[in-house]
Amino acid sequence: MTVNHDPNRIIIFDTTLRDGEQSPGASMNLEEKLRIAETLEELGVDVIEAGFPIASNGDFEAVNEISKVVRKPIICGLARSGKADIERAAEALQPAERKRIHTFIATSPLHMKYKLQMEPEEVLQQVVDSVSHARNFTDDVDWSPEDGSRSDPDFLCRTVEAAISAGATCINLPDTVGYVIPEEFGGLIAMLRERVPNSDKAIFSAHCHNDLGLAVANSLAAVQAGARQVECTINGLGERAGNAALEEIVMAIRTRKDMLAYETGINTEVITRASRLVSAVTGFAVQPNKAIVGANAFAHEAGIHQDGVLKHAGTYEIMTPESVGLVESKLVMGKHSGRHAFREKIRELGYEIGDNQMQDAFRRFKDLADKKKDVYDEDIVALIDDEVMRENDRIRFKSLQVVCGSVGPQTAELALEIDGEERATKASGDGPVDATFNAITELFPHEARLQLYQVHAVTEGTDAQAEVTVRLEENGKTVNGQGADTDTLVASARAYVNALNKLLVKREKTAPTALSA
Ligand code: KIV
Ligand code: ZN
């Protein structure tokens, strides 16, 4: 049987939740992964690689929950070649409407000799065994030769042929270390399609890393050589220099139809929202000049450019901001807006929240409208995100009073509610942020180390809300906390407290004995 696939349709396989999450510091909790998966569904990705189920209970749970909730895309779980990995992936994927197992083993001389310590013939046998075993659980099996781009071409052809004979329906070629250049990678895909006798029975796929900044170019070269799936991540999130950026591949295909006569199923208007969500959840800021989703990607500063764009947008714009969902900030409501209008606004922004959360959110919205002249959609999103994130928190922010300025000492008077009991303290530090964090540590002693402190203005103007990300690390595990407020220090305290709450959940899940704070 040959594959029945529209020859011009490119399958978008998103691995933000698997390869993206492997990026140090980018860890996400279940709730965050679910929100991202739902956004990926809206974005229209074809496949979501939701995790590596044997890697941790958290990964298993994420793949399992996403399989229950997200119905349109195929849900995929990663597995090494061993039976236990494949069975764990199959178990996690059990509730999925459409499921895929992605199994891999390294095929390059370097990886086989030093990492696997296996002979090539043993690896070949594992390819057959793993793919055949995966086929016991699903008809949709993706097989990857890890470090494929640095593998011996003859051996690569043998493994690919064996994988397809054993039942792989997709052959994904990873450039694991981001080493190749576009012509070379396109050549590898073309070679496999030409030389492997049963190549017409599988879809070929590209999985490119960005160590030389070529991941998107390599992915597009693969498409031009016949690959019909690309594995990519939102914002190019991923280990080291990251993976190929979904938004860049999709917009290149959309914008350059004349050279790339292909289609994707992506609703490009959701790109900006997906990018912001991934950035907020991971604390990985998007560089301002990043293609498609950077803050400056559609900004025209130079007078000569502004003049041209005003006369005809096409003079300096090859795609419209609207096409990626970048719309002018909308003034939504002011301090006279009522509860009903607020509830409608929240619905329109895509949130479903319970009555208690709605009451708290409305109260905070009123406070915000009192402090801030104009309240935009982004303000409401930041506020609701902040509220939603705190639903099950053991530690809650109550109040903060800070003394700062050029004459020290800077002090922070802080009140928190911990397991329902209010506690307060006063602490000093090297600056107001340090004093605030010291006060939190006094009230809730812990050993976690601060790895990142980042402030971002939600909208323009000096009355803008600050959105703060705090990354904490404890015993090799990292969490990202967020907080938003018009007062940067309150936002900082909220973000730190949010990170601590996440750490508590993580501790509970991984080592119950370490629970005492
Ligand atoms: O980069 C890589 O080789 C991978 C494989 C597991 C596909 O992520
Ligand atoms: Zn990878």
Side-chain angles (χ1 to χ4, degrees):
M1 187 193 71
T2 39
V3 274
N4 181 13
H5 181 75
D6 173 352
N8 296 327
R9 174 70 156 76
I10 306 301
I11 298 166
I12 300 295
F13 175 116
D14 181 278
T15 182
T16 306
L17 297 175
R18 198 280 297 171
D19 222 350
E21 208 222 7
Q22 273 172 228
S23 167
S27 78
M28 311 169 203
N29 64 27
L30 177 63
E31 195 192 337
E32 292 164 340
K33 286 185 183 176
L34 275 167
R35 282 180 64 200
I36 291 178
E38 281 165 358
T39 306
L40 292 174
E41 183 175 31
E42 272 185 74
L43 183 63
V45 306
D46 300 286
V47 187
I48 296 179
E49 187 164 54
F52 189 177
I54 203 155
S56 70
N57 289 341
D59 261 49
F60 178 90
E61 208 182 350
V63 175
N64 194 245
E65 286 302 315
I66 291 169
S67 299
K68 289 178 195 158
V69 177
V70 178
R71 306 315 274 175
K72 274 192 243 146
I74 295 169
I75 309 299
C76 175
L78 184 69
R80 289 167 301 186
S81 59
K83 278 192 164 172
D85 273 51
I86 291 167
E87 285 164 18
R88 191 78 174 138
E91 193 188 342
L93 290 166
Q94 217 268 327
E97 191 127 322
R98 295 191 296 154
K99 54 182 84 109
R100 172 182 293 195
I101 295 178
H102 178 190
T103 180
F104 71 98
I105 188 165
T107 51
S108 67
L110 210 61
H111 278 233
M112 290 192 289
K113 182 165 178 197
Y114 294 102
K115 191 181 83 171
L116 299 176
Q117 296 175 336
M118 284 167 79
E119 292 299 322
E121 293 311 311
E122 289 175 88
V123 168
L124 191 63
Q125 188 57 49
Q126 286 266 342
V127 174
V128 175
D129 294 347
S130 57
V131 173
S132 318
H133 194 50
R135 280 296 302 249
N136 292 327
F137 304 99
T138 172
D139 290 345
D140 188 347
V141 174
D142 193 333
W143 180 73
S144 291
E146 191 190 7
D147 206 18
S149 57
R150 293 193 301 167
S151 300
D152 168 65
D154 292 340
F155 184 62
L156 192 61
C157 286
R158 286 178 66 208
T159 57
V160 168
E161 184 180 353
I164 297 174
S165 297
T169 43
C170 178
I171 297 295
N172 175 52
L173 185 64
D175 181 27
T176 305
V177 290
Y179 179 70
V180 291
I181 61 170
E183 205 184 350
E184 196 183 2
F185 197 60
L188 278 174
I189 295 281
M191 177 212 58
L192 289 174
R193 292 185 64 227
E194 269 163 40
R195 283 186 49 191
V196 172
N198 51 2
S199 66
D200 59 332
K201 296 187 173 54
I203 299 262
F204 280 78
S205 165
H207 177 109
C208 300
H209 280 267
N210 205 29
D211 299 65
L212 293 174
L214 293 171
V216 170
N218 286 340
S219 304
L220 292 175
V223 166
Q224 287 180 299
R228 287 296 172 265
Q229 174 179 284
V230 277
E231 299 200 355
C232 44
T233 60
I234 302 289
N235 298 341
L237 189 70
E239 280 193 272
R240 306 183 310 275
N243 288 57
L246 179 149
E247 62 279 3
E248 294 178 22
I249 292 169
V250 167
M251 288 312 287
I253 291 175
R254 181 176 158 156
T255 308
R256 294 306 310 273
K257 278 239 160 335
D258 54 333
M259 298 299 290
L260 302 162
Y262 313 106
E263 299 287 342
T264 72
I266 295 296
N267 305 316
T268 58
E269 293 78 11
V270 183
I271 284 178
T272 298
R273 187 147 52 87
S275 162
R276 286 183 181 163
L277 177 62
V278 170
S279 170
V281 161
T282 57
F284 278 47
V286 173
Q287 77 191 56
N289 57 334
K290 158 93 175 62
I292 318 295
V293 290
N296 293 349
F298 292 91
H300 302 283
E301 192 70 35
I304 186 172
H305 288 198
Q306 284 176 348
D307 183 55
V309 168
L310 286 175
K311 286 180 176 142
H312 189 292
T315 50
Y316 289 98
E317 260 179 21
I318 57 166
M319 53 201 155
T320 65
E322 293 77 19
S323 65
V324 298
L326 191 67
V327 280
E328 285 247 317
S329 288
K330 267 197 279 165
L331 181 62
V332 283
M333 293 187 303
K335 61 179 173 187
H336 300 298
S337 307
R339 203 175 285 269
H340 181 71
F342 183 67
R343 190 181 283 275
E344 277 307 302
K345 183 67 197 173
I346 286 180
R347 264 206 208 109
E348 186 192 309
L349 292 170
Y351 290 92
E352 285 290 337
I353 62 176
D355 283 347
N356 287 347
Q357 272 184 336
M358 177 64 78
Q359 272 185 17
D360 290 347
F362 185 66
R363 194 178 25 76
R364 283 186 63 186
F365 159 70
K366 283 290 191 187
D367 287 349
L368 182 65
D370 271 341
K371 287 185 207 149
K372 196 172 182 294
K373 198 162 76 29
D374 302 324
V375 179
Y376 297 92
D377 277 359
E378 290 91 325
D379 287 312
I380 306 274
V381 167
L383 191 149
I384 300 295
D385 280 351
D386 206 63
E387 210 50 57
V388 169
M389 279 182 314
R390 287 167 215 300
E391 204 176 10
N392 302 313
D393 285 359
R394 274 179 59 190
I395 314 170
R396 287 169 187 273
F397 170 83
K398 285 302 204 194
S399 65
L400 177 70
Q401 199 79 45
V402 175
V403 177
C404 62
S406 55
V407 184
Q410 288 82 17
T411 56
E413 269 186 77
L414 174 78
L416 297 178
E417 189 184 287
I418 301 173
D419 293 328
E421 188 190 315
E422 190 156 329
R423 299 186 205 167
T425 192
K426 184 172 176 175
S428 58
D430 293 333
V433 177
D434 193 43
T436 303
F437 291 177
N438 287 343
I440 295 175
T441 308
E442 269 184 31
L443 291 178
F444 193 84
H446 58 274
E447 298 289 320
R449 282 186 318 113
L450 180 69
Q451 279 199 329
L452 173 90
Y453 171 72
Q454 184 175 277
V455 185
H456 154 84
V458 174
T459 55
E460 287 175 6
T462 48
D463 65 348
Q465 284 196 92
E467 198 166 47
V468 175
T469 303
V470 162
R471 182 174 304 147
L472 296 179
E473 184 268 335
E474 185 185 69
N475 300 328
K477 297 208 161 30
T478 54
V479 287
N480 293 300
Q482 279 89 29
D485 201 277
T486 45
D487 185 315
T488 308
L489 292 165
V490 172
S492 305
R494 285 182 176 278
Y496 198 110
V497 166
N498 181 237
L500 271 184
N501 279 300
K502 286 186 181 173
L503 211 51
L504 291 179
V505 174
K506 222 170 201 156
R507 280 191 207 167
E508 247 174 65
K509 285 194 176 156
T510 47
T513 46
L515 241 181
S516 58

